[in-house]
Amino acid sequence: MSGSLQTLSDFLQCLIVGLRLGSVYALVALGYTMVYGIIRLINFAHGDFIMVGGYTLFFTIPAMLAVNDKLPIWLAVIVAIAVCALVGVTVELVAYRPVRKKGTNMTALITAIAMSLFLENLAQAIPAIGPNYKIMRRMFSNKAVLNFLNISLDWTTLLTILIGASVMIGLQLFVKKTKLGRAMRAVSEDKQASVLVGINVNRTIIITFAIGSGLAAVAALMYFAQYSTIMTTSGTMLGLKAFVAAVLGGIGIIPGAMLGGLVIGLVESFTTGYISSSLADAFVFLILIIVLIIKPAGILGKNVGEKV
Amino acid sequence: MERTPVLKTVNLGITFGGLRAVEDFNIEIYEGELVGLIGPNGAGKTTVFNLLTGVYTPTEGKFYLSGKNMNGKKTHQVVAEGIARTFQNIRLFKQMTVLENVKVALNSKYEYKFFASLFRTPKFWRKEEELDKEARDLLSIFNLENKANYIASNLPYGQQRKLEIARALATGMKILLLDEPAAGMNPTETAELLECIKIIRERFGIAILLIEHDMSLVMNVCERIQVINFGKTIAFGLPHEIANNQEVIEAYLGKNED
Amino acid sequence: MMNKNTKLKGYLVNTVALAVLLMAFLILNANFKTPFYSVVFIPSLWQISYLIILAASLNLVLGFLGQLSLGHCGFMAIGAYTAALLSLYFERAGIFTDKKAPVFIVSILVSLLAGGLLAAIVGIIVGIPALRLKGDYLAIITLGFGMIICNVINNLPFAGMEGLSKGSAAASLYKTGLGFGNTLKTKYAWVAIVITILCLAAMFMFIRSRFGRAIESIRDDEIAASASGINVSLYKVGTFVYSAFFAGIAGGLFACCNSSLSTASFAFTNGSILNSTFIVVMVVVGGMGSLTGSMLSAVLMFLLNYVIKNVIKASGMPLFVQNLFKYPMLVYAIVLIIVIMFKPKGILGTREFSLVNTIEYIKGKLGKKAVKEGGSK
């Protein structure tokens, strides 16, 4: 094979990996962005919701197969979505809401960090989980869909990208077309005015948390389908990068999260492919820093100053 | 001999994403003068203050302090040159004491180096003592000296306004911009405020530009009044001229359609 | 009204009290040789020293300046690695051979100072872009910088994975002169104490000056601060750099009392107690805006960690309870949540413990029964 063709296939391979990573980041970033849009809080615990989703999958899959081994493994994601949504809503009700009522922005942010620490370390303390990593069952076939010019595309990658794309389209339709979606947008624009037009703000916030956390479970499925090891800190770095993606695209803006996720996925994949895998994380943050300095509101965001 | 105005603006204006919030704003204020800036809600009065204090950078025109161009200076630089202000919604340092609130504004007047504070040199003590004294003197003008160690946010509303003015005075300004100082005050408090403004003028002899909604207050204290609406100056002159100006009445009450 | 003389008296009282304490400690240190003392007490003292400096220095940014920084450990890492590499250089250059000689401790002090200075320089580089942002954005950008710092250290050929002890992830510190054993820790315990006192004094002097007033005004209202003539961005970066300097010193102390160095210790969050989040916990629990609160909280947190590690294990509690306490960060997370929810201002809030006031208070209590004059001052 000629050199230039090899270069091209390397490039395409990076692109495919980047799209796969990007779909995962985008889904997680959506969770951050939806919550931020509605209560102006970085939900630091969101990365840990992915970990919760991962462990739920880890325990549900064998249980499900014990009942009926004909069932497709990925069906366990339904349980994971339910568990994550429950955890998300609980965190909102038990911690965020009381602090939001009486605290400042900073105390709210510190609460979110505390919740993240709490979830991570609580998971460690559960004997069935513990501090060591576990190996997840393979969820999708690792057979190649196509193998062309040294580019391989396996089912896991293809399905990850497809699931990601369809969830994002579905969410966009939900937010734009349904009554609930409109309520969510209204609350994120102006809480007080939403109350005046008869929107139940607290209920809308809870639903947002449920959906955002549910998305984390889907992201967990996609992520652990590729990386089969899971431990209690699995969600931390993923969560942080997804948050970077959300900020990059413009936090609070749903299409921004998708765009940001894809950009971060591609950056990471190309840095790993062409520069160094150990510097990939540093590059992701470097991009965040550059964007925040040039355009703090993100690619799709609008700059709004403080009213004097 | 021609006097230099303390504050002079030449066709000052700002555009926010296509919206001209203020345009062709011209004003000249001389030492010791008290000028009122009035206009309906959303007319752009506070925006003018924000332009004059470097919070916003003007997109058109220039403004001068004692003949010196101030365009493009940052807020703290403008303040150092001599423009001080208060805010429509009181902005005190809420967790700090009344005395500290004033001391912050005196910071640049009593300078000492970082190492002087690190090693507590005699200069440090001298400067701090002078600073303390001046801060207390300022508080006493507003009858706040016995509340020096109160946390600022625990003061009653009227006194918070006074403290904000005291803090603005501490910056050592040439012109003071007061943004609706009487807003939310009861008649007694307003009367006290008027008394304060009078004292300030007597003691400091500075120029004051005042934004106010309370028409009777404006008509009482201001020597000249400028009226803006939708960012444009629609009238300026002596109080009684403004009171009888047809355009001003229309701007406030709406046009009579008959 | 506080005048200069009562203030001077305060400084005098504090200095005398500290001098007496230090003397008492030195006498104790020379004569007291139980195993508990040199195996438990002295190493704890070293750990508490750097925890106090870390908490107090972050408090400058978090409590006094009012900006949430989540990358404080990054500066600590710079301090630790700089001190280790520099003292390694001193050792190789033959500047010190005997760890008991005075030249040894001087070169260690130089290394620590260099660590602080380099951390401060990086603080400038990080602070200028980062502090243009506020709130959530600042938190996340400092977190990012903290990670980048560790990432860069890991990839440096002379530090991280390949440096210090070629190829090992956990670089041994004994060769560098740092990584004191218990004998050296006992011998040089005064170093830890004196450095802590000096750092805290420098922070107090900063807070109780026009600089301190300026940064507190920024915390309370940035716009009003600049309208009062405060150069907000200058003070923000300045405080950040000052804080980074002390984090660097704390990093050097950390390298003194640990046997190995790995950037994993300086992450945003990890299984052990040393990470950027933990420092935030210390500051919040002690009180944002109270240096003495940070000191108190650092000691309490250390004791909590000690109890979790040693007492709970030996207590014969049910396995499940022991398991819960096996991960100290879980306990800290719970402590943090409880404090934020029920005492959001922390133990001391923005108040400071003052020896003079305490003495006056006790005098007042005692004087009540006697003549009235004794109590009124």
Side-chain angles (χ1 to χ4, degrees):
Chain A
M1 190 186 280
S2 76
S4 62
L5 211 56
Q6 179 63 42
T7 320
L8 180 69
S9 67
D10 281 350
F11 179 82
L12 289 176
Q13 190 69 62
C14 278
L15 195 69
I16 291 172
V17 172
L19 285 178
R20 188 195 70 220
L21 282 172
S23 316
V24 179
Y25 290 147
L27 274 205
V28 184
L30 281 173
Y32 277 107
T33 249
M34 289 170 72
V35 167
Y36 190 91
I38 214 154
I39 57 171
R40 307 282 145 196
L41 170 77
I42 300 179
N43 181 12
F44 263 92
H46 191 71
D48 302 295
F49 294 170
I50 304 167
M51 177 270 294
V52 171
Y55 278 109
T56 313
L57 289 173
F58 178 80
F59 291 115
T60 314
I61 292 169
M64 200 178 74
L65 291 182
V67 176
N68 182 351
D69 61 0
K70 298 273 174 350
L71 289 171
I73 289 178
W74 55 265
L75 218 58
V77 79
I78 295 168
V79 183
I81 291 175
V83 172
C84 279
L86 189 69
V87 171
V89 170
T90 312
V91 166
E92 151 68 7
L93 288 179
V94 174
Y96 296 167
R97 184 174 295 175
V99 170
R100 198 163 60 237
K101 273 194 183 133
K102 57 182 181 181
T104 59
N105 285 341
M106 201 196 288
T107 47
L109 193 57
I110 293 171
T111 312
I113 295 172
M115 283 319 296
S116 160
L117 279 181
F118 177 73
L119 286 177
E120 254 169 53
N121 290 283
L122 183 69
Q124 273 196 2
I126 295 171
I129 296 176
N132 298 324
Y133 67 84
K134 303 253 192 285
I135 304 288
M136 193 80 95
R137 281 279 302 255
R138 175 158 288 286
M139 285 178 247
F140 305 126
S141 151
N142 59 343
K143 283 203 199 98
V145 183
L146 94 175
N147 216 331
F148 175 68
L149 294 174
N150 277 7
I151 308 164
S152 68
L153 176 67
D154 57 17
W155 279 106
T156 305
T157 306
L158 184 66
L159 286 174
T160 305
I161 296 171
L162 287 180
I163 296 173
S166 41
V167 169
M168 282 185 258
I169 294 168
L171 188 72
Q172 189 67 1
L173 288 176
F174 169 78
V175 171
K176 289 268 186 249
K177 304 280 180 201
T178 64
K179 201 177 158 197
L180 225 105
R182 277 196 298 271
M184 281 164 61
R185 281 189 293 153
V187 174
S188 72
E189 286 277 324
D190 190 330
K191 273 204 193 72
Q192 266 116 30
S194 310
V195 176
L196 290 179
V197 296
I199 293 171
N200 184 337
V201 171
N202 279 337
R203 210 190 67 180
T204 313
I205 293 176
I206 287 178
I207 291 169
T208 310
F209 262 89
I211 296 175
S213 319
L215 288 177
V218 181
L221 174 80
M222 291 154 69
Y223 182 77
F224 293 111
Q226 181 69 30
Y227 307 99
S228 52
T229 53
I230 178 167
M231 53 194 297
T232 53
T233 50
S234 290
T236 315
M237 202 55 206
L238 175 61
L240 281 175
K241 284 192 219 162
F243 175 74
V244 171
V247 175
L248 186 68
I251 197 152
I253 308 163
I254 288 178
M258 302 174 190
L259 177 68
L262 287 179
V263 172
I264 293 293
L266 289 170
V267 166
E268 188 178 327
S269 142
F270 278 95
T271 320
T272 311
Y274 286 91
I275 305 172
S276 142
S277 63
S278 65
L279 280 176
D281 293 351
F283 257 85
V284 167
F285 276 99
L286 202 64
I287 288 196
L288 171 77
I289 288 161
I290 293 167
V291 168
L292 283 183
I293 289 162
I294 297 170
K295 197 167 186 295
I299 301 173
L300 299 181
K302 275 180 287 190
N303 285 316
V304 214
E306 190 180 350
K307 198 165 156 46
V308 182
Chain B
M1 195 186 83
E2 181 130 347
R3 285 197 301 162
T4 321
V6 176
L7 180 76
K8 180 183 176 180
T9 67
V10 182
N11 300 330
L12 201 64
I14 186 164
T15 308
F16 295 116
L19 175 82
R20 299 196 78 182
V22 173
E23 60 180 292
D24 290 333
F25 183 78
N26 289 296
I27 201 168
E28 280 183 17
I29 303 174
Y30 293 89
E31 204 181 294
E33 257 192 320
L34 203 170
V35 179
L37 180 62
I38 64 172
N41 277 329
K45 303 180 298 282
T46 300
T47 309
V48 169
F49 273 23
N50 285 338
L51 285 172
L52 294 178
T53 49
V55 176
Y56 301 147
T57 314
T59 47
E60 300 118 46
K62 289 188 160 57
F63 68 111
Y64 303 89
L65 183 73
S66 305
K68 192 172 169 190
N69 185 263
M70 292 284 128
N71 281 51
K73 284 199 194 295
K74 296 206 175 90
T75 305
H76 68 95
Q77 291 167 323
V78 173
V79 174
E81 295 284 349
I83 303 181
R85 74 176 288 185
T86 64
F87 296 88
Q88 199 171 343
N89 44 338
I90 305 179
R91 283 174 174 271
L92 289 174
F93 307 127
K94 293 194 180 72
Q95 297 185 56
M96 300 172 79
T97 64
V98 170
L99 184 66
E100 283 170 334
N101 263 274
V102 179
K103 280 184 169 182
V104 167
L106 286 168
N107 240 4
S108 43
K109 188 171 172 189
Y110 296 97
E111 276 202 9
Y112 47 79
K113 293 271 180 313
F114 173 71
F115 285 97
S117 79
L118 197 55
F119 297 109
R120 290 297 190 252
T121 60
K123 185 178 178 187
F124 169 86
W125 290 114
R126 197 177 65 243
K127 291 279 180 187
E128 279 288 319
E129 212 163 351
E130 288 166 11
L131 193 155
D132 190 77
K133 190 175 172 304
E134 178 160 357
R136 285 172 198 279
D137 284 350
L138 270 169
L139 285 181
S140 68
I141 298 177
F142 296 91
N143 295 321
L144 287 170
E145 72 273 27
N146 50 359
K147 299 218 164 159
N149 292 325
Y150 278 47
I151 297 297
S153 55
N154 294 344
L155 288 182
Y157 187 80
Q159 290 185 330
Q160 291 197 14
R161 278 278 178 215
K162 286 185 185 172
L163 176 57
E164 207 191 14
I165 297 174
R167 188 182 67 192
L169 287 175
T171 61
M173 76 281 83
K174 293 172 182 158
I175 180 164
L176 180 62
L177 314 180
L178 297 175
D179 198 345
E180 292 197 29
M185 282 188 169
N186 60 35
T188 335
E189 286 172 327
T190 310
E192 276 182 47
L193 179 81
L194 279 177
E195 192 59 31
C196 278
I197 293 177
K198 216 172 113 192
I199 298 170
I200 295 168
R201 298 186 67 194
E202 284 165 6
R203 288 258 313 236
F204 297 88
I206 50 163
I208 296 177
L209 179 60
L210 175 80
I211 292 180
E212 191 46 71
H213 262 311
D214 187 334
M215 277 312 226
S216 62
L217 189 143
V218 178
M219 294 297 166
N220 265 328
V221 299
C222 294
E223 280 141 17
R224 284 189 296 132
I225 292 173
Q226 183 147 351
V227 190
I228 58 173
N229 195 16
F230 299 116
K232 287 184 203 146
T233 302
I234 55 171
F236 60 91
L238 301 171
H240 67 90
E241 294 171 355
I242 296 297
N244 300 318
N245 184 305
Q246 196 55 41
E247 212 178 335
V248 176
I249 295 167
E250 274 170 14
Y252 270 92
L253 303 175
K255 210 169 195 163
N256 199 341
E257 292 296 339
D258 299 334
Chain C
M1 182 173 145
M2 283 277 268
N3 60 31
K4 186 179 160 185
N5 285 336
T6 52
K7 273 189 184 168
L8 280 179
K9 192 180 136 203
Y11 286 100
L12 196 68
V13 170
N14 288 334
T15 316
V16 169
L18 282 177
V20 168
L21 270 180
L22 192 60
M23 288 301 290
F25 172 77
L26 287 177
I27 294 167
L28 178 81
N29 201 32
N31 299 301
F32 202 62
K33 292 270 181 309
T34 68
F36 175 83
Y37 181 77
S38 57
V39 176
V40 177
F41 181 77
I42 286 292
S44 307
L45 188 82
W46 278 84
Q47 281 198 44
I48 288 174
S49 308
Y50 69 71
L51 287 180
I52 285 180
I53 300 175
L54 276 178
S57 62
L58 183 66
N59 207 344
L60 294 182
V61 173
L62 183 55
F64 292 92
L65 186 64
Q67 313 291 320
L68 180 53
S69 161
L70 295 179
H72 208 53
C73 268
F75 299 114
M76 189 186 179
I78 293 172
Y81 274 90
T82 311
L85 287 166
L86 198 62
S87 64
L88 182 66
Y89 169 80
F90 287 145
E91 202 266 333
R92 289 202 178 139
I95 291 179
F96 64 81
T97 43
D98 178 12
K99 289 188 177 179
K100 298 240 148 63
V103 68
F104 170 74
I105 201 64
V106 171
S107 48
I108 294 300
L109 287 177
V110 170
S111 309
L112 291 185
L113 189 65
L117 288 176
L118 193 63
I121 292 169
V122 177
I124 299 176
I125 299 167
V126 172
I128 289 174
L131 288 161
R132 292 172 51 172
L133 305 168
K134 283 181 224 172
D136 311 346
Y137 289 101
L138 178 70
I140 211 80
I141 203 173
T142 46
L143 194 160
F145 269 118
M147 283 189 164
I148 291 177
I149 288 172
C150 288
N151 222 314
V152 168
I153 292 177
N154 265 342
N155 283 287
L156 287 178
F158 51 87
M161 297 297 188
E162 293 295 319
L164 289 171
S165 77
K166 299 276 182 243
S168 146
S172 165
L173 281 168
Y174 292 120
K175 302 176 195 169
T176 70
L178 300 182
F180 296 170
N182 286 340
T183 329
L184 278 185
K185 275 184 191 164
T186 313
K187 182 172 165 57
Y188 293 124
W190 62 269
V191 174
I193 297 175
V194 168
I195 289 179
T196 311
I197 291 175
L198 288 180
C199 288
L200 283 172
M203 288 185 235
F204 266 109
M205 297 306 168
F206 178 74
I207 290 306
R208 300 265 171 89
S209 72
R210 66 190 195 94
F211 307 104
R213 280 195 296 272
I215 65 169
E216 283 178 63
S217 77
I218 294 171
R219 170 195 66 199
D220 282 2
D221 193 322
E222 235 169 81
I223 289 168
S226 58
S228 302
I230 303 294
N231 185 344
V232 173
S233 18
L234 182 73
Y235 275 103
K236 274 188 176 178
V237 175
T239 312
F240 194 71
V241 171
Y242 201 50
S243 156
F245 172 77
F246 293 113
I249 301 265
L253 283 178
F254 174 83
C256 283
C257 55
N258 278 278
S259 54
S260 65
L261 209 53
S262 134
T263 47
S265 314
F266 307 111
F268 161 63
T269 142
N270 55 31
S272 77
I273 66 159
L274 195 87
N275 53 55
S276 293
T277 345
F278 176 69
I279 310 176
V280 173
V281 178
M282 284 197 288
V283 173
V284 174
V285 170
M288 287 187 264
S290 169
L291 290 179
T292 41
S294 291
M295 293 166 63
L296 182 67
S297 147
V299 176
L300 286 179
M301 288 293 160
F302 175 83
L303 290 178
L304 187 59
N305 187 44
Y306 185 82
V307 169
I308 291 168
K309 263 192 180 158
N310 301 289
V311 181
I312 304 272
K313 207 180 275 175
S315 65
M317 280 191 202
L319 200 67
F320 173 69
V321 178
Q322 282 196 32
N323 240 337
L324 277 182
F325 282 98
K326 213 155 103 194
Y327 306 99
M329 275 320 269
L330 179 62
V331 180
Y332 294 122
I334 296 169
V335 168
L336 181 59
I337 293 168
I338 291 172
V339 168
I340 284 270
M341 284 190 155
F342 300 104
K343 207 166 177 352
K345 292 195 160 172
I347 301 173
L348 284 186
T350 53
R351 282 165 298 160
E352 297 284 5
F353 170 80
S354 146
L355 193 56
V356 181
N357 288 353
T358 314
I359 294 172
E360 293 294 324
Y361 178 79
I362 294 168
K363 260 197 206 162
K365 285 262 165 176
L366 295 176
K368 251 184 198 167
K369 283 179 186 168
V371 206
K372 227 173 172 171
E373 294 149 31
S376 64
K377 182 81 189 170

